[in-house]
Amino acid sequence: MSDFSLEEMLRRDPRNEWIARNRLHPLHDTVLSAEQGERRGPSGLLRKDPHLVGFIGPNGIKRIDRADVFSSVGAELAGKKRSTEAKAVSLPWHIVENPAGYIMVVADMVGGRLTRHDKDILGLAHQLATEKAAVAVVLVCFGESKETQFDLAGVDRLIHLAGQEFNGFAPEARLAALEQIETQFYPDYWLFPDSVNGGADLASRLAARLGERPATQAWQVNGTQTLCRGASSSVDIRRATPRILMLLEECADAIDSTRHQALPLQIKPLAALKKSNGSSKMLDRGMIDVDASAVPLAEAEFILSAGNGIHNWNQFHAAAAALGATEGASRVAVDDGFMPRERQVGASGTWVTARVYLAVGISGAIQHMQGIGQCDKVVAINTDAGCDMVKRADLAVIADSDAVLAELTKLANAFMASKQQTSSKQGEKSDAA
Amino acid sequence: MMLDWLVPTLISVLLVLASIGAVRRINLWRAGQAEKVNMLAGLLAMPKRYLHDLHHVVDRDKYISRTHVVTGGGFVLAMVLVVCVHLFGVDSKILAWALLAALVMMFCGALFVYKRRINPPSRLSKGPWMRLPKSLLTFSITFFVLTLPAVGVLPEGFGGWLLTLVLSVLILMSLSEMLFGMTWGGPMKHAFAGALHLAFHRRPERFGGGRSTGLKPVDFGVGVSAKEVHGVAKPTDFKWNQLLGFDACVQCGRCEAVCPAFAAGQPLNPKKLIQDMVVGFAGGTDENYAGNPYPGIDLGHAKGEPNQIITDGLIHPDTLWSCTTCRACVEECPMMIEHVDAIVDMRRFLTLEKGETPNKGAQVLENIIATDNPNGYAPASRTHWAADQNLPVMKDVKQADVLFWVSDGAFDMRSQRILRAFVKLMKAANVDAAILGDEELDSGDVARRLGDDATFQSLAKRNLATLSTYQFNKIVTTDPHAFHCLKNEYGDFGSDALQNVEVLHHTMFLNRLVKDGLLQLEPFKGGKVTYHDPCYLGRYNGEYEAPRELLASLGIDVAEMERSKFRSRCCGGGGGAPITDIPGERRIADMRMEDVVSTGASMVAVGCQQCTAMLEGVVEPRPVVRDIAEILVGQLVEATSISVKEEVVHE
Amino acid sequence: MPPNINVVSLVSIGRHPQSGRARRAEQDGRAVELGLTMVGEALTVLHAGNPQNPVLRQYAGMGLPSLTVLDQASSCDAVSVLLRYLRKNPTDIVLTGVRAERGESSGMLPYLLAEQLGWPLVPKVAEIVSVQDGKADVLLALPRGQRRSVQVSLPFIATIDNAAPEARQSAFGPGSRALFSIQKGDNLADDAFMEWKISPAKPRPKRLKVVKAKTAADRMKAATAKPVGGGGKIMKQESPEEKAQAIFDLLLEEKVIR
């Protein structure tokens, strides 16, 4: 990384500066307009000429657009670029040389990357670490890792257990590894995400094994006290902070202003694991292919939903299959017998939580809108631009459903085909290697 | 002469057989559960009930009522005289002439019965019923000929042995139908069972213009051992007079013709249901049933025994869950049979004992138990709709003239518009009204119609306990279902909370306000308007006029639908039908909307949030659906603008 | 499926999320449902707590002829008494919810039982596919409707996820007639729990979008600017291809097409 490039060096032109200060100079205007955008004062500070900012509004009065509403896109892009550059340059190091204690963060690493939840917990670990001197935050992760930014997420030390035996559903092996870490490092805290991705499960196993009473659904933690949710999130429990914590999302802010060493830590070979491996009582048989259309509506993350505006039902089912979407329906489509009752979305059907809800030919009765209230993104395909669904949608397409669905199916099929090609190519490459 | 002894013998043998049959039949009914009936009063009241109440219902079809009077009256008279003249041999020309006259009358009637049967409407049962006019004719002709010698028109012993033989056969045939068949399950059974049914009816209040529509509560109280089954599982679990009532059915199919579920192709036919009940307590199969089947279910597979569980082979549960409890069948039944009672009794078994309320039923009941409303909303959010309404809450004011019963519409955004409209009208009329706020619970209507009487009773008792702590003169509600529960069903729980309290539907209450001149309304200038009678306001409570008068006060000339008032067709929203959601060929609401469209109206006025929801669920384009309160609010002349005008005038 | 295995479903008193009233717990109900579909009326349903609690009748209403209750105060720790019961009575499969709806809701109970008994624990089970030769095939519920197949040897403990089949309707009649076999429980008070301070849940603050702006104007903008637009994008005149492409791009961006 070149921290110091020639381009970024500040070069000053004393003559131009002098002309710019002197409003009576004949070249004053040209110099100013040439330097518009960025001018630096004698100390190198950025200077703005108040006479040049702003524009003349429609009624002839000068307006200064400090919120920058009107030139949003371009300016935003530029701003982003600038800030990322700056970050890459200026993030200070956070270095723990000879740790006197450890805080273990066992990450979910869904898809091999740190989740937002994981990062929040790393942030919390650093809050806890500041209460004592020279405490290192250690990330424990299992299986394959695609994460490249451990250093920016606040990982001081890294225990990466990449062995085959930790892949998939392997609570016994993982627990054995954690036990080994416990005896070897005796960490100050064990932090887990209280998540459905395995964090809560592993934490509970460790707590039961170590005989510690963990804090679950913790969301406010410091070195002495912890605030946990209890009784199905209806009460807060204030208690002394235990050694093992299962933490909710947003329990702390993620690390974003320091860089960390992410040095690998070695653990001793796992004797216990070897022993139990042969007689494992649980055997992972792998993931089951789940038909997207069989996923219960309430769980589905992408729903293609049909209403009264659908005429070609075969095409609709084909589109859902091509897009890998779970099928939903409005009440009318169900009443008319085109879709089974358990596919009905809405107040009188199922309340859905999909990330993307693609509503085709649904005008949006109030009961239906209630049912999709928790969806992140709503896309509408409808012929009526004035209907409620279009008003609610993040993207609305005013068209007959037939044509758009046909195009979507084509696009999805093409996308899948191209993906298969690339993956098979990759397969060949890796075989060759 | 052979006839001299043959006729009395035949008559007496058949009379004896008929008596045996009657005892047998009575024993079948007695297998049912005990129910206290004032026998003597019932029997004494029976003729009047028959001649007045029953005839009143039959008279909706003039043709058949006249036919029935002539035929039935003729037969009863003739039969009595036959016994006198031919059995006891009373030798009186006057009696004989009277008998002849009765027989002629009966003959004329039977001719019309015959004519009706030439090309009968599909609702009528065929089979043995097609035989009946012939039997009636045979009876009248045979005994006419037999009686001729008694008046001396024909000499004794006329016609010789051939005629004697023919007459004997005819006597046997006609008396078998008229006497033997009466108690052994022939079409004439309706006369025997019907007469007793009228005498021992479970709801004697219905006679003489009264109304009795509230369901009878399940007894969970003291004396019910833990082993007892709640609801009706087997035919013998019905009360004995319910069984008797089933036997009274004449299979005229008027119920079938008005049943919304039948019309929608859902597997329910009230006539077949009653006949299946008969099959159940008498034992046998439905092979001999000669009417329309349940839509989508073939005949001949239903088997029943008095002690067999009804839903195991006799009736499919879907049949019971198709009913919207709209009471159209009960209203239309000339025999005053209580179909809805029977259906809910059987639903009670399915829900309370088997836990088999279909589709959303289980969830809705669970919600009602846990949150006191069917959709499981937080009980503390019941009054959120009224946050901006500035309504006094009973807890604070303790007393008010009017208690506004909000009902579960409080949670539904569409119904809230009706509630707000009504509140605005009350404010415009300066009504001293208060609500219960979060203290109000679901009225229990849905739980009760879904068969969960335990939950209904729990809600009713808790609601009554709340009500008894406050002082008010009237309860007004915009929900006819709650109105019905409060008015007709809460009385069974021994609370005096509603004593001296007038329970009103909002249309009735608003009508009073308008009549008292408390509401300034300007005439409605929209298009054509029709009115849909909610079942629970109309048939259940007999209120047909108040909503119409309200509309008339706006200058609206209601374009009546073909089926209106007591014949109004259900919207499909009652009895938990939208919850149990039994598939049919069409939706009941769509059919009702077609009724609306056929009047050419551009707006349909309703008085029920459930009807509003059902009718608005019909795919557009369709006429707009408005509650009467909403229509009134649109025409309200605001008091403020009047006072402003006045001020201007003063200045 | 062999009916000669002993299945125990552990049930607790639930809490309705809206009204806070006691109810049949969602996941425990599913545990009973799963047990009933596996072995029918041979299922043992076990509760440690107050046998007078009316909610137990709601479980019984699912068609249980009887219910076993280990009688102890509801504030007491259930682990030791359950352990004793499970050690004494032959058991092959223990089914329970993932987390209780009352109390600490830590979800630790099955783990503690499994640890003490030395049995394997399968978390978040959606379905028990088969039980054969001392082994069971189970499906674990993963987020977004995904499933993982796991083979586990008997005896084991399974926690039942919300993805498992819904509990059947509870009927009033059988519920009120079911017999309770009441055994004495422990009265080991949960001292640690007593020391904790319990208060109604405070709403959690929503995380603000922290803008690390360099200039005052940027900070001002972040604090005051309304999200531009608000309503979504509407496409009217474009060709069907363009419209479909726009939708497809959004799907890709949201990573629902993979």
Side-chain angles (χ1 to χ4, degrees):
Chain A
M1 201 185 294
S2 65
D3 281 357
F4 221 68
S5 68
L6 263 178
E7 288 163 338
E8 293 197 9
M9 262 181 67
L10 194 61
R11 286 186 153 283
R12 297 175 60 187
D13 184 341
R15 179 169 177 271
N16 271 356
E17 283 173 15
W18 177 72
I19 295 173
R21 280 199 299 278
N22 182 359
R23 269 186 284 157
L24 299 177
H25 196 280
L27 289 177
H28 178 76
D29 280 346
T30 45
V31 166
L32 271 193
S33 57
E35 291 203 349
Q36 200 176 10
E38 197 162 289
R39 266 178 348 103
R40 298 204 176 254
S43 59
L45 271 176
L46 199 64
R47 289 278 183 212
K48 268 187 190 163
D49 184 345
H51 297 286
L52 290 176
V53 252
F55 57 95
I56 304 299
N59 49 5
I61 297 175
K62 186 161 184 173
R63 293 268 173 226
I64 300 177
D65 173 23
R66 294 207 193 278
D68 225 8
V69 174
F70 294 96
S71 58
S72 56
V73 187
E76 224 167 67
L77 271 179
K80 249 184 209 161
K81 215 185 229 166
R82 210 185 304 150
S83 65
T84 48
E85 270 171 19
K87 205 182 253 173
V89 175
S90 62
L91 282 188
W93 281 99
H94 171 93
I95 291 175
V96 184
E97 275 311 342
N98 293 308
Y102 296 94
I103 294 177
M104 298 292 164
V105 175
V106 184
D108 276 341
M109 301 281 284
V110 176
R113 291 200 174 82
L114 288 172
T115 62
R116 262 175 54 189
H117 199 169
D118 291 337
K119 289 180 182 171
D120 290 350
I121 292 169
L122 283 165
L124 182 82
H126 278 282
Q127 284 180 16
L128 289 170
T130 54
E131 297 184 6
K132 260 193 340 191
V135 174
V137 171
V138 185
L139 184 84
V140 183
C141 61
F142 297 97
E144 193 193 2
S145 160
K146 294 179 195 152
E147 183 61 58
T148 52
Q149 295 197 308
F150 284 126
D151 55 341
L152 296 178
V155 179
D156 295 328
R157 299 289 187 273
L158 179 66
I159 300 178
H160 184 197
L161 298 154
Q164 194 62 44
E165 66 273 25
F166 299 112
N167 275 343
F169 178 69
E172 287 165 323
R174 291 182 180 197
L175 179 60
L178 297 186
E179 265 188 282
Q180 177 67 36
I181 295 169
E182 168 79 7
T183 49
Q184 202 176 326
F185 297 101
Y186 195 74
D188 295 349
Y189 297 106
W190 280 100
L191 307 184
F192 293 82
D194 196 335
S195 71
V196 293
N197 296 311
D201 178 51
L202 198 53
S204 302
R205 286 175 199 274
L206 183 70
R209 179 65 50 89
L210 301 183
E212 300 267 358
R213 188 163 189 171
T216 54
Q217 304 181 66
W219 61 280
Q220 262 183 24
V221 182
N222 60 32
T224 51
Q225 282 209 319
T226 297
L227 203 56
C228 304
R229 288 283 201 234
S232 43
S233 299
S234 64
V235 298
D236 279 331
I237 303 173
R238 186 175 294 282
R239 53 177 291 183
T241 302
R243 268 187 74 220
I244 302 180
L245 291 132
M246 297 175 227
L247 297 146
L248 292 177
E249 222 169 324
E250 303 193 1
C251 54
D253 288 329
I255 297 295
D256 63 351
S257 51
T258 44
R259 246 186 320 160
H260 298 252
Q261 296 159 290
L263 296 175
L265 272 188
Q266 295 304 325
I267 65 165
K268 292 179 196 143
L270 301 170
L273 177 66
K274 290 273 148 42
K275 199 176 65 197
S276 73
N277 210 13
S279 63
S280 176
K281 286 172 175 169
M282 287 181 275
L283 183 66
D284 184 8
R285 297 275 201 78
M287 301 283 284
I288 302 280
D289 267 339
V290 177
D291 185 6
S293 60
V295 173
L297 266 183
E299 282 183 67
E301 72 168 337
F302 173 29
I303 296 175
L304 182 66
S305 200
N308 201 32
I310 292 272
H311 308 292
N312 185 346
W313 285 90
N314 291 331
Q315 185 197 34
F316 171 76
H317 296 308
L323 292 168
T326 305
E327 289 182 6
S330 73
R331 188 196 52 85
V332 177
V334 173
D335 281 345
D336 290 348
F338 293 116
M339 294 285 281
R341 183 63 71 185
E342 85 263 7
R343 292 284 144 200
Q344 183 183 328
V345 174
S348 50
T350 308
W351 297 61
V352 298
T353 58
R355 269 229 315 275
V356 178
Y357 187 80
L358 179 43
V360 190
I362 301 179
S363 55
I366 191 155
Q367 291 85 354
H368 194 88
M369 304 311 270
Q370 272 176 295
I372 64 168
Q374 290 181 55
C375 292
D376 279 355
K377 283 262 155 48
V378 174
V379 183
I381 302 177
N382 211 307
T383 46
D384 175 12
C387 70
D388 286 340
M389 185 61 82
V390 168
K391 283 176 200 150
R392 158 77 167 86
D394 299 277
L395 171 65
V397 161
I398 312 302
D400 189 63
S401 62
D402 281 14
V404 181
L405 277 186
E407 283 301 321
L408 263 180
T409 315
K410 235 190 271 174
L411 280 172
N413 287 335
F415 178 77
M416 286 299 154
S418 71
K419 217 174 97 173
Q420 259 165 15
Q421 259 181 5
T422 52
S423 68
S424 62
K425 262 185 204 161
Q426 274 176 355
E428 280 164 26
K429 262 185 205 163
S430 63
D431 279 351
Chain B
M1 178 69 208
M2 202 167 72
L3 277 180
D4 287 345
W5 58 268
L6 185 64
V7 173
T9 315
L10 276 177
I11 295 174
S12 44
V13 164
L14 282 165
L15 274 175
V16 168
L17 283 177
S19 321
I20 296 173
V23 172
R24 225 182 121 260
R25 205 80 203 170
I26 288 169
N27 277 332
L28 285 180
W29 302 331
R30 277 162 48 91
Q33 304 297 305
E35 168 104 329
K36 258 200 176 156
V37 175
N38 190 340
M39 296 260 187
L40 190 64
L43 283 172
L44 288 177
M46 192 257 282
K48 184 166 178 267
R49 289 178 183 180
Y50 176 82
L51 294 172
H52 178 259
D53 300 287
L54 183 140
H55 181 75
H56 183 72
V57 180
V58 181
D59 205 31
R60 289 173 194 164
D61 185 345
K62 299 279 183 214
Y63 178 98
I64 207 67
S65 80
R66 282 165 197 162
T67 308
H68 190 254
V69 166
V70 175
T71 322
F75 169 68
V76 172
L77 196 58
M79 200 59 226
V80 171
L81 292 170
V82 160
V83 170
C84 293
V85 174
H86 293 287
L87 186 61
F88 298 126
V90 177
D91 194 9
S92 153
K93 286 228 163 148
I94 300 172
L95 281 188
W97 276 114
L99 174 56
L100 281 183
L103 287 168
V104 169
M105 188 162 107
M106 180 178 167
F107 179 79
C108 297
L111 277 179
F112 283 99
V113 180
Y114 188 82
K115 188 177 156 227
R116 172 74 143 209
R117 287 279 162 182
I118 289 172
N119 198 1
S122 81
R123 63 181 169 87
L124 292 177
S125 286
K126 318 293 184 305
W129 293 88
M130 297 304 278
R131 187 180 78 207
L132 186 59
K134 294 167 199 154
S135 305
L136 292 169
L137 289 172
T138 316
F139 178 89
S140 48
I141 294 168
T142 312
F143 280 92
F144 190 80
V145 175
L146 269 180
T147 314
L148 288 178
V151 291
V153 173
L154 281 176
E156 298 276 333
F158 166 84
W161 64 270
L162 186 66
L163 183 65
T164 311
L165 190 68
V166 170
L167 282 179
S168 311
V169 171
L170 291 178
I171 291 171
L172 192 65
M173 273 171 56
S174 57
L175 281 185
S176 302
E177 179 79 277
M178 307 309 289
L179 291 180
F180 181 75
M182 186 179 277
T183 58
W184 289 84
M188 283 307 288
K189 182 186 71 178
H190 79 270
F192 166 57
L196 293 179
H197 166 59
L198 290 179
F200 308 138
H201 199 281
R202 206 169 167 223
R203 296 176 181 275
E205 309 85 355
R206 282 188 66 193
F207 301 103
R211 197 169 285 280
S212 166
T213 52
L215 293 173
K216 310 269 182 194
V218 173
D219 187 3
F220 296 108
V222 199
V224 179
S225 71
K227 291 272 176 255
E228 194 176 316
V229 166
H230 305 302
V232 167
K234 306 178 293 251
T236 50
D237 291 337
F238 281 113
K239 305 289 180 202
W240 70 270
N241 49 0
Q242 282 181 289
L243 296 179
L244 165 60
F246 301 145
D247 238 359
C249 174
V250 279
Q251 302 194 37
C252 65
R254 292 190 187 193
C255 49
E256 167 187 321
V258 295
C259 178
F262 180 79
Q266 286 172 288
L268 171 63
N269 176 346
K271 181 175 84 175
K272 171 79 163 66
L273 182 93
I274 297 301
Q275 286 313 304
D276 280 350
M277 296 292 100
V278 175
V279 165
F281 76 76
T285 71
D286 68 345
E287 276 163 346
N288 297 326
Y289 171 73
N292 286 326
Y294 300 127
I297 299 181
D298 291 336
L299 285 179
H301 305 296
K303 284 194 194 73
E305 288 295 328
N307 283 311
Q308 175 201 313
I309 290 185
I310 293 170
T311 44
D312 288 352
L314 184 58
I315 290 184
H316 194 278
D318 281 359
T319 297
L320 303 176
W321 295 115
S322 296
C323 177
T324 65
T325 69
C326 73
R327 239 183 128 76
C329 49
V330 183
E331 183 75 36
E332 206 67 19
C333 181
M335 280 301 190
M336 310 202 136
I337 298 171
E338 297 282 344
H339 310 66
V340 175
D341 281 2
I343 287 174
V344 174
D345 280 342
M346 291 184 277
R347 285 184 178 185
R348 285 172 176 170
F349 170 70
L350 292 176
T351 294
L352 290 174
E353 291 298 329
K354 297 189 83 175
E356 286 176 359
T357 322
N359 288 322
K360 289 243 160 189
Q363 199 191 332
V364 163
L365 291 176
E366 214 164 286
N367 283 337
I368 295 178
I369 292 169
T371 62
D372 302 323
N373 68 78
N375 290 310
Y377 294 109
S381 66
R382 187 177 277 275
T383 325
H384 285 184
W385 71 275
D388 56 347
Q389 298 294 308
N390 206 9
L391 272 172
V393 179
M394 270 295 184
K395 210 177 200 167
D396 307 329
V397 294
K398 303 291 181 205
Q399 60 174 4
D401 178 36
V402 171
L403 172 62
F404 175 27
W405 185 272
V406 177
S407 92
D408 291 329
F411 296 105
D412 177 68
M413 286 154 97
R414 174 65 183 89
S415 307
Q416 286 168 7
R417 298 219 297 263
I418 303 173
L419 299 176
R420 291 208 184 90
F422 179 59
V423 169
K424 194 168 177 190
L425 290 169
M426 283 201 294
K427 286 195 173 149
N430 284 322
V431 175
D432 169 26
I435 56 172
L436 283 179
D438 292 345
E439 282 185 296
E440 189 185 308
L441 312 175
D442 176 60
S443 64
D445 168 71
V446 170
R448 179 161 242 203
R449 310 308 137 185
L450 289 178
D452 190 349
D453 223 43
T455 303
F456 167 76
Q457 292 187 17
S458 147
L459 287 167
K461 285 171 186 162
R462 285 185 287 150
N463 273 328
L464 285 168
T466 309
L467 290 173
S468 66
T469 53
Y470 302 123
Q471 297 292 318
F472 46 90
N473 304 319
K474 305 180 191 76
I475 290 196
V476 181
T477 176
T478 53
D479 177 4
H481 296 261
F483 171 56
H484 168 66
C485 286
L486 288 165
K487 188 172 172 211
N488 304 321
E489 296 190 339
Y490 274 23
D492 292 327
F493 303 104
S495 164
D496 57 359
L498 292 176
Q499 259 172 15
N500 306 322
V501 170
E502 213 179 350
V503 184
L504 295 169
H505 185 244
H506 71 304
T507 52
M508 301 155 82
F509 182 65
L510 289 174
N511 195 29
R512 280 190 203 173
L513 295 183
V514 170
K515 280 188 175 164
D516 293 348
L518 293 168
L519 286 174
Q520 305 291 319
L521 300 168
E522 47 189 29
F524 179 79
K525 291 195 191 67
K528 220 176 190 183
V529 178
T530 185
Y531 171 67
H532 164 76
D533 285 281
C535 309
Y536 276 73
L537 182 62
R539 274 187 294 271
Y540 274 80
N541 287 293
E543 189 54 62
Y544 304 111
E545 290 316 316
R548 287 181 170 78
E549 285 173 17
L550 272 178
L551 292 174
S553 73
L554 296 176
I556 295 175
D557 185 18
V558 175
E560 291 287 359
M561 285 182 265
E562 194 185 314
R563 287 183 60 174
S564 63
K565 301 198 176 172
F566 75 85
R567 281 226 164 106
S568 168
R569 197 208 295 261
C570 179
C571 68
I579 296 162
T580 53
D581 190 33
I582 303 301
E585 283 152 24
R586 337 191 30 199
R587 291 180 70 246
I588 295 173
D590 290 347
M591 299 189 302
R592 189 54 174 165
M593 193 48 90
E594 278 167 24
D595 294 350
V596 172
V597 170
S598 69
T599 63
S602 61
M603 179 194 284
V604 51
V606 284
C608 170
Q609 60 207 22
Q610 189 68 30
C611 298
T612 312
M614 293 306 290
L615 294 176
E616 276 192 347
V618 176
V619 177
E620 288 184 277
R622 50 155 171 72
V624 290
V625 183
R626 289 279 178 279
D627 191 273
I628 290 188
E630 294 178 284
I631 301 175
L632 286 180
V633 154
Q635 306 314 116
L636 189 66
V637 181
E638 301 266 350
T640 48
S641 59
I642 294 173
S643 60
V644 168
K645 268 181 211 158
E646 278 168 3
E647 275 168 34
V648 171
V649 172
H650 286 304
E651 278 170 14
Chain C
M1 200 163 283
N4 57 349
I5 51 170
N6 295 311
V7 182
V8 175
S9 293
L10 307 181
V11 298
S12 62
I13 308 301
R15 176 189 179 282
H16 193 277
Q18 296 300 328
S19 67
R21 275 188 221 162
R23 64 154 181 183
R24 176 172 67 157
E26 186 84 28
Q27 293 169 338
D28 293 351
R30 287 169 203 256
V32 175
E33 175 67 39
L34 193 58
L36 279 173
T37 45
M38 285 174 79
V39 294
E41 294 194 346
L43 175 74
T44 308
V45 176
L46 189 60
H47 172 71
N50 177 9
Q52 305 304 324
N53 197 315
V55 173
L56 295 179
R57 296 277 172 203
Q58 291 184 16
Y59 287 107
M62 294 172 73
L64 308 171
S66 75
L67 222 91
T68 310
V69 185
L70 309 174
D71 185 4
Q72 59 174 23
S74 52
S75 58
C76 289
D77 187 32
V79 175
S80 60
V81 61
L82 289 175
L83 262 179
R84 212 171 56 215
Y85 182 93
L86 293 173
R87 284 196 173 121
K88 212 161 56 187
N89 299 281
T91 306
D92 297 303
I93 301 177
V94 176
L95 305 172
T96 177
V98 177
R99 269 180 180 164
E101 294 174 0
R102 284 179 183 272
E104 194 186 348
S105 289
S106 69
M108 282 302 289
L109 180 120
Y111 289 91
L112 293 170
L113 291 178
E115 184 64 31
Q116 308 260 338
L117 293 164
W119 295 359
L121 180 143
V122 274
K124 293 184 159 287
V125 169
E127 196 183 335
I128 297 187
V129 184
S130 68
V131 182
Q132 259 176 353
D133 310 327
K135 286 188 190 315
D137 273 337
V138 302
L139 291 186
L140 306 191
L142 304 180
R144 294 299 179 196
Q146 302 296 305
R147 299 282 182 270
R148 182 188 291 282
S149 170
V150 169
Q151 193 181 61
V152 55
S153 50
L154 300 181
F156 68 92
I157 297 181
T159 62
I160 307 302
D161 189 78
N162 285 341
E166 206 172 321
R168 67 191 62 182
Q169 186 178 357
S170 170
F172 175 84
S176 55
R177 287 192 295 271
L179 299 172
F180 284 9
S181 123
I182 300 173
Q183 304 180 7
K184 240 186 85 62
D186 288 343
N187 269 325
L188 285 178
D190 184 351
D191 295 327
F193 192 77
M194 297 295 164
E195 281 170 21
W196 298 345
K197 261 188 238 151
I198 317 265
S199 54
K202 268 189 292 185
R204 287 181 66 188
K206 268 226 154 121
R207 175 177 281 179
L208 292 174
K209 243 191 180 169
V210 180
V211 180
K212 299 219 162 172
K214 287 275 183 293
T215 65
D218 283 352
R219 279 194 295 276
M220 177 75 173
K221 182 186 161 191
T224 57
K226 280 188 209 135
V228 180
K233 189 177 155 196
I234 298 184
M235 299 176 82
K236 265 188 190 160
Q237 305 305 331
E238 292 82 348
S239 72
E241 288 80 12
E242 285 167 332
K243 289 168 174 167
Q245 189 64 48
I247 295 175
F248 197 73
D249 289 346
L250 183 137
L251 299 181
L252 283 178
E253 190 185 315
E254 289 294 317
K255 299 204 179 81
V256 289
I257 290 190
R258 280 164 292 209

